PDB file of all heavy atoms in Angstrom:
ATOM      1  N   ARG N 132      -7.639   6.475  -6.070  1.00  0.00           N
ATOM      2  CA  ARG N 132      -7.657   7.547  -5.064  1.00  0.00           C
ATOM      3  C   ARG N 132      -6.195   8.047  -4.895  1.00  0.00           C
ATOM      4  O   ARG N 132      -5.996   9.205  -4.643  1.00  0.00           O
ATOM      5  CB  ARG N 132      -8.262   7.029  -3.752  1.00  0.00           C
ATOM      6  CG  ARG N 132      -8.449   8.046  -2.679  1.00  0.00           C
ATOM      7  CD  ARG N 132      -9.119   9.384  -3.016  1.00  0.00           C
ATOM      8  NE  ARG N 132     -10.497   9.321  -3.294  1.00  0.00           N
ATOM      9  CZ  ARG N 132     -11.435   9.643  -2.491  1.00  0.00           C
ATOM     10  NH1 ARG N 132     -11.145  10.104  -1.265  1.00  0.00           N
ATOM     11  NH2 ARG N 132     -12.752   9.526  -2.787  1.00  0.00           N
ATOM     12  N   ALA N 133      -5.299   7.093  -4.949  1.00  0.00           N
ATOM     13  CA  ALA N 133      -3.844   7.525  -4.718  1.00  0.00           C
ATOM     14  C   ALA N 133      -3.547   8.457  -5.892  1.00  0.00           C
ATOM     15  O   ALA N 133      -2.863   9.548  -5.680  1.00  0.00           O
ATOM     16  CB  ALA N 133      -2.896   6.322  -4.752  1.00  0.00           C
ATOM     17  N   ARG N 134      -3.857   8.173  -7.102  1.00  0.00           N
ATOM     18  CA  ARG N 134      -3.543   9.025  -8.291  1.00  0.00           C
ATOM     19  C   ARG N 134      -4.201  10.315  -8.097  1.00  0.00           C
ATOM     20  O   ARG N 134      -3.620  11.415  -8.379  1.00  0.00           O
ATOM     21  CB  ARG N 134      -4.079   8.343  -9.537  1.00  0.00           C
ATOM     22  CG  ARG N 134      -3.733   9.071 -10.855  1.00  0.00           C
ATOM     23  CD  ARG N 134      -4.094   8.395 -12.041  1.00  0.00           C
ATOM     24  NE  ARG N 134      -3.787   9.225 -13.191  1.00  0.00           N
ATOM     25  CZ  ARG N 134      -3.904   8.858 -14.373  1.00  0.00           C
ATOM     26  NH1 ARG N 134      -4.385   7.641 -14.771  1.00  0.00           N
ATOM     27  NH2 ARG N 134      -3.577   9.555 -15.398  1.00  0.00           N
ATOM     28  N   ASP N 135      -5.480  10.331  -7.576  1.00  0.00           N
ATOM     29  CA  ASP N 135      -6.234  11.555  -7.382  1.00  0.00           C
ATOM     30  C   ASP N 135      -5.377  12.500  -6.389  1.00  0.00           C
ATOM     31  O   ASP N 135      -5.198  13.693  -6.616  1.00  0.00           O
ATOM     32  CB  ASP N 135      -7.586  11.361  -6.841  1.00  0.00           C
ATOM     33  CG  ASP N 135      -8.392  12.605  -6.744  1.00  0.00           C
ATOM     34  OD1 ASP N 135      -8.138  13.590  -7.301  1.00  0.00           O
ATOM     35  OD2 ASP N 135      -9.462  12.499  -5.948  1.00  0.00           O
ATOM     36  N   HIS N 136      -4.897  11.866  -5.248  1.00  0.00           N
ATOM     37  CA  HIS N 136      -4.155  12.659  -4.230  1.00  0.00           C
ATOM     38  C   HIS N 136      -2.849  13.136  -4.892  1.00  0.00           C
ATOM     39  O   HIS N 136      -2.397  14.263  -4.663  1.00  0.00           O
ATOM     40  CB  HIS N 136      -3.893  11.838  -3.033  1.00  0.00           C
ATOM     41  CG  HIS N 136      -4.988  11.776  -2.073  1.00  0.00           C
ATOM     42  ND1 HIS N 136      -5.316  12.949  -1.322  1.00  0.00           N
ATOM     43  CD2 HIS N 136      -5.857  10.848  -1.676  1.00  0.00           C
ATOM     44  CE1 HIS N 136      -6.309  12.661  -0.470  1.00  0.00           C
ATOM     45  NE2 HIS N 136      -6.678  11.354  -0.743  1.00  0.00           N
ATOM     46  N   VAL N 137      -2.165  12.289  -5.684  1.00  0.00           N
ATOM     47  CA  VAL N 137      -0.944  12.757  -6.255  1.00  0.00           C
ATOM     48  C   VAL N 137      -1.135  13.932  -7.278  1.00  0.00           C
ATOM     49  O   VAL N 137      -0.472  14.930  -7.232  1.00  0.00           O
ATOM     50  CB  VAL N 137      -0.286  11.550  -6.998  1.00  0.00           C
ATOM     51  CG1 VAL N 137       0.972  12.056  -7.940  1.00  0.00           C
ATOM     52  CG2 VAL N 137       0.318  10.589  -6.039  1.00  0.00           C
ATOM     53  N   ALA N 138      -2.223  13.926  -8.025  1.00  0.00           N
ATOM     54  CA  ALA N 138      -2.568  14.928  -8.936  1.00  0.00           C
ATOM     55  C   ALA N 138      -2.924  16.243  -8.194  1.00  0.00           C
ATOM     56  O   ALA N 138      -2.632  17.360  -8.655  1.00  0.00           O
ATOM     57  CB  ALA N 138      -3.730  14.495  -9.843  1.00  0.00           C
ATOM     58  N   ARG N 139      -3.533  16.075  -7.088  1.00  0.00           N
ATOM     59  CA  ARG N 139      -3.958  17.318  -6.267  1.00  0.00           C
ATOM     60  C   ARG N 139      -2.776  17.903  -5.522  1.00  0.00           C
ATOM     61  O   ARG N 139      -2.886  18.947  -4.964  1.00  0.00           O
ATOM     62  CB  ARG N 139      -5.040  16.922  -5.248  1.00  0.00           C
ATOM     63  CG  ARG N 139      -6.331  16.594  -5.742  1.00  0.00           C
ATOM     64  CD  ARG N 139      -7.239  16.066  -4.647  1.00  0.00           C
ATOM     65  NE  ARG N 139      -8.505  15.694  -5.071  1.00  0.00           N
ATOM     66  CZ  ARG N 139      -9.696  16.304  -4.797  1.00  0.00           C
ATOM     67  NH1 ARG N 139      -9.604  17.435  -4.037  1.00  0.00           N
ATOM     68  NH2 ARG N 139     -10.824  15.933  -5.296  1.00  0.00           N
ATOM     69  N   GLY N 140      -1.694  17.071  -5.391  1.00  0.00           N
ATOM     70  CA  GLY N 140      -0.540  17.486  -4.625  1.00  0.00           C
ATOM     71  C   GLY N 140      -0.693  17.271  -3.106  1.00  0.00           C
ATOM     72  O   GLY N 140       0.078  17.816  -2.360  1.00  0.00           O
ATOM     73  N   THR N 141      -1.742  16.527  -2.701  1.00  0.00           N
ATOM     74  CA  THR N 141      -1.934  16.173  -1.228  1.00  0.00           C
ATOM     75  C   THR N 141      -1.200  14.890  -0.860  1.00  0.00           C
ATOM     76  O   THR N 141      -1.231  14.657   0.337  1.00  0.00           O
ATOM     77  CB  THR N 141      -3.397  16.106  -1.038  1.00  0.00           C
ATOM     78  OG1 THR N 141      -4.023  15.128  -1.927  1.00  0.00           O
ATOM     79  CG2 THR N 141      -4.132  17.531  -1.255  1.00  0.00           C
ATOM     80  N   LEU N 142      -0.704  14.169  -1.825  1.00  0.00           N
ATOM     81  CA  LEU N 142       0.105  12.989  -1.443  1.00  0.00           C
ATOM     82  C   LEU N 142       1.435  13.058  -2.173  1.00  0.00           C
ATOM     83  O   LEU N 142       1.582  12.962  -3.375  1.00  0.00           O
ATOM     84  CB  LEU N 142      -0.629  11.684  -1.879  1.00  0.00           C
ATOM     85  CG  LEU N 142       0.178  10.396  -1.643  1.00  0.00           C
ATOM     86  CD1 LEU N 142       0.595  10.087  -0.295  1.00  0.00           C
ATOM     87  CD2 LEU N 142      -0.683   9.219  -2.259  1.00  0.00           C
ATOM     88  N   SER N 143       2.455  13.428  -1.358  1.00  0.00           N
ATOM     89  CA  SER N 143       3.847  13.512  -1.876  1.00  0.00           C
ATOM     90  C   SER N 143       4.476  12.165  -1.613  1.00  0.00           C
ATOM     91  O   SER N 143       4.506  11.571  -0.604  1.00  0.00           O
ATOM     92  CB  SER N 143       4.618  14.496  -1.083  1.00  0.00           C
ATOM     93  OG  SER N 143       6.006  14.491  -1.574  1.00  0.00           O
ATOM     94  N   LEU N 144       4.980  11.662  -2.851  1.00  0.00           N
ATOM     95  CA  LEU N 144       5.722  10.376  -2.734  1.00  0.00           C
ATOM     96  C   LEU N 144       7.228  10.480  -2.901  1.00  0.00           C
ATOM     97  O   LEU N 144       7.908   9.543  -3.234  1.00  0.00           O
ATOM     98  CB  LEU N 144       5.133   9.531  -3.900  1.00  0.00           C
ATOM     99  CG  LEU N 144       3.620   9.183  -3.863  1.00  0.00           C
ATOM    100  CD1 LEU N 144       3.165   8.347  -5.096  1.00  0.00           C
ATOM    101  CD2 LEU N 144       3.286   8.535  -2.580  1.00  0.00           C
ATOM    102  N   ASP N 145       7.768  11.766  -2.717  1.00  0.00           N
ATOM    103  CA  ASP N 145       9.182  12.077  -2.931  1.00  0.00           C
ATOM    104  C   ASP N 145      10.046  11.287  -2.032  1.00  0.00           C
ATOM    105  O   ASP N 145      11.199  11.096  -2.366  1.00  0.00           O
ATOM    106  CB  ASP N 145       9.321  13.584  -2.642  1.00  0.00           C
ATOM    107  CG  ASP N 145       8.672  14.485  -3.668  1.00  0.00           C
ATOM    108  OD1 ASP N 145       8.263  13.914  -4.730  1.00  0.00           O
ATOM    109  OD2 ASP N 145       8.538  15.655  -3.316  1.00  0.00           O
ATOM    110  N   GLU N 146       9.583  10.872  -0.922  1.00  0.00           N
ATOM    111  CA  GLU N 146      10.491  10.142   0.128  1.00  0.00           C
ATOM    112  C   GLU N 146       9.986   8.669   0.254  1.00  0.00           C
ATOM    113  O   GLU N 146      10.475   8.019   1.248  1.00  0.00           O
ATOM    114  CB  GLU N 146      10.554  10.907   1.373  1.00  0.00           C
ATOM    115  CG  GLU N 146      11.246  12.269   1.267  1.00  0.00           C
ATOM    116  CD  GLU N 146      11.380  12.899   2.573  1.00  0.00           C
ATOM    117  OE1 GLU N 146      11.817  12.257   3.543  1.00  0.00           O
ATOM    118  OE2 GLU N 146      11.371  14.182   2.567  1.00  0.00           O
ATOM    119  N   VAL N 147       9.224   8.188  -0.532  1.00  0.00           N
ATOM    120  CA  VAL N 147       8.783   6.790  -0.437  1.00  0.00           C
ATOM    121  C   VAL N 147       9.936   5.890  -0.713  1.00  0.00           C
ATOM    122  O   VAL N 147      10.721   6.012  -1.706  1.00  0.00           O
ATOM    123  CB  VAL N 147       7.591   6.472  -1.462  1.00  0.00           C
ATOM    124  CG1 VAL N 147       7.405   5.023  -1.607  1.00  0.00           C
ATOM    125  CG2 VAL N 147       6.376   7.203  -0.993  1.00  0.00           C
ATOM    126  N   ALA N 148      10.206   4.963   0.219  1.00  0.00           N
ATOM    127  CA  ALA N 148      11.295   4.021   0.158  1.00  0.00           C
ATOM    128  C   ALA N 148      10.854   2.663  -0.323  1.00  0.00           C
ATOM    129  O   ALA N 148      11.579   1.821  -0.830  1.00  0.00           O
ATOM    130  CB  ALA N 148      12.057   3.977   1.450  1.00  0.00           C
ATOM    131  N   VAL N 149       9.532   2.362  -0.053  1.00  0.00           N
ATOM    132  CA  VAL N 149       9.016   1.011  -0.317  1.00  0.00           C
ATOM    133  C   VAL N 149       7.657   1.187  -1.000  1.00  0.00           C
ATOM    134  O   VAL N 149       6.781   1.887  -0.574  1.00  0.00           O
ATOM    135  CB  VAL N 149       8.924   0.208   0.971  1.00  0.00           C
ATOM    136  CG1 VAL N 149       8.161  -1.143   0.723  1.00  0.00           C
ATOM    137  CG2 VAL N 149      10.147   0.014   1.652  1.00  0.00           C
ATOM    138  N   VAL N 150       7.432   0.451  -2.099  1.00  0.00           N
ATOM    139  CA  VAL N 150       6.139   0.349  -2.772  1.00  0.00           C
ATOM    140  C   VAL N 150       5.799  -1.090  -2.846  1.00  0.00           C
ATOM    141  O   VAL N 150       6.505  -2.020  -3.200  1.00  0.00           O
ATOM    142  CB  VAL N 150       6.128   0.931  -4.128  1.00  0.00           C
ATOM    143  CG1 VAL N 150       4.777   0.693  -4.907  1.00  0.00           C
ATOM    144  CG2 VAL N 150       6.523   2.393  -4.156  1.00  0.00           C
ATOM    145  N   VAL N 151       4.483  -1.430  -2.343  1.00  0.00           N
ATOM    146  CA  VAL N 151       3.998  -2.712  -2.436  1.00  0.00           C
ATOM    147  C   VAL N 151       2.773  -2.715  -3.350  1.00  0.00           C
ATOM    148  O   VAL N 151       1.853  -1.821  -3.184  1.00  0.00           O
ATOM    149  CB  VAL N 151       3.520  -3.298  -1.115  1.00  0.00           C
ATOM    150  CG1 VAL N 151       2.817  -4.624  -1.156  1.00  0.00           C
ATOM    151  CG2 VAL N 151       4.700  -3.281  -0.103  1.00  0.00           C
ATOM    152  N   LEU N 152       2.778  -3.600  -4.318  1.00  0.00           N
ATOM    153  CA  LEU N 152       1.595  -3.746  -5.194  1.00  0.00           C
ATOM    154  C   LEU N 152       0.933  -5.089  -4.708  1.00  0.00           C
ATOM    155  O   LEU N 152       1.325  -6.175  -5.116  1.00  0.00           O
ATOM    156  CB  LEU N 152       2.133  -3.931  -6.721  1.00  0.00           C
ATOM    157  CG  LEU N 152       2.908  -2.752  -7.202  1.00  0.00           C
ATOM    158  CD1 LEU N 152       3.255  -2.967  -8.652  1.00  0.00           C
ATOM    159  CD2 LEU N 152       2.022  -1.468  -7.130  1.00  0.00           C
ATOM    160  N   ASP N 153       0.011  -4.870  -3.852  1.00  0.00           N
ATOM    161  CA  ASP N 153      -0.742  -6.003  -3.345  1.00  0.00           C
ATOM    162  C   ASP N 153      -1.801  -6.471  -4.251  1.00  0.00           C
ATOM    163  O   ASP N 153      -2.613  -5.753  -4.711  1.00  0.00           O
ATOM    164  CB  ASP N 153      -1.345  -5.614  -1.967  1.00  0.00           C
ATOM    165  CG  ASP N 153      -1.843  -6.800  -1.117  1.00  0.00           C
ATOM    166  OD1 ASP N 153      -1.474  -7.990  -1.476  1.00  0.00           O
ATOM    167  OD2 ASP N 153      -2.522  -6.540  -0.157  1.00  0.00           O
TER     168      ASP N 153
END
Side-chain angles (χ1 to χ4, degrees):
R132 185 53 68 101
R134 183 177 179 175
D135 187 19
H136 276 290
V137 169
R139 290 171 183 252
T141 54
L142 173 59
S143 172
L144 302 177
D145 294 342
E146 294 188 36
V147 166
V149 175
V150 175
V151 176
L152 302 178
D153 194 11

